[in-house]
Amino acid sequence: MKKVLVSISAALLVVLLALTMAGCDKSGNIQKAYENEGYTVTRIDAQESTALKTLLGEEAKDELDKYAVFVCTKGLQSVTFVKFPSADTIKEILGEDGYDKAVKSGFVNGNCYLLIPGLPGVNDIFKNA
């Protein structure tokens, strides 16, 4: 009986951990929110994003493969956001103060950062996704 209970507990722990880890990435929700509003979402190579390179600095050039850059366009409106490996990575790059300001202004959503904002209504899609 004890072995069965331990096995069930371990299985539940694995499922809980998997659900927790899956809930960390907000990029899919953000993409769907923009697509639902009629935007075209394009993923570009992080190596090609000068804005991302500027944000990260020279020392992070070798780590650009950890990031994903998305450009959402609809007519003349566009917005660019970056999927970071984790929200903690955003904190490290922006600093605690910068991170708090970015969260308040709606530029951070989970592990994603609004790199090149657009008009207020366009930014609200990102914020509310």
Side-chain angles (χ1 to χ4, degrees):
M1 181 68 179
K2 191 174 182 179
K3 287 183 180 182
V4 172
L5 194 56
V6 169
S7 297
I8 291 173
S9 297
L12 287 174
L13 184 60
V14 169
V15 169
L16 181 63
L17 182 61
L19 291 174
T20 302
M21 296 303 280
C24 294
D25 184 15
K26 295 287 283 186
S27 63
N29 292 346
I30 296 169
Q31 286 179 41
K32 285 181 185 176
Y34 277 105
E35 288 170 348
N36 289 342
E37 293 294 326
Y39 285 79
T40 302
V41 179
T42 308
R43 183 176 177 167
I44 62 171
D45 186 10
Q47 297 285 346
E48 297 175 15
S49 175
T50 55
L52 179 61
K53 290 178 186 176
T54 302
L55 176 69
L56 297 177
E58 290 293 318
E59 61 275 356
K61 277 188 176 180
D62 297 334
E63 299 179 358
L64 286 176
D65 59 332
K66 295 180 183 178
Y67 304 91
V69 180
F70 298 90
V71 179
C72 309
T73 55
K74 178 180 173 185
L76 297 176
Q77 298 178 19
S78 70
V79 68
T80 302
F81 71 93
V82 179
K83 174 185 154 191
F84 281 80
S86 69
D88 290 336
T89 308
I90 301 172
K91 275 186 188 175
E92 289 173 20
I93 291 169
L94 298 179
E96 193 71 37
D97 228 19
Y99 179 80
D100 291 340
K101 289 178 184 175
V103 169
K104 281 184 183 178
S105 62
F107 285 18
V108 173
N109 187 345
N111 65 323
C112 296
Y113 176 70
L114 191 57
L115 185 62
I116 303 174
L119 299 172
V122 180
N123 296 344
D124 289 341
I125 298 169
F126 177 86
K127 182 178 175 181
N128 298 324

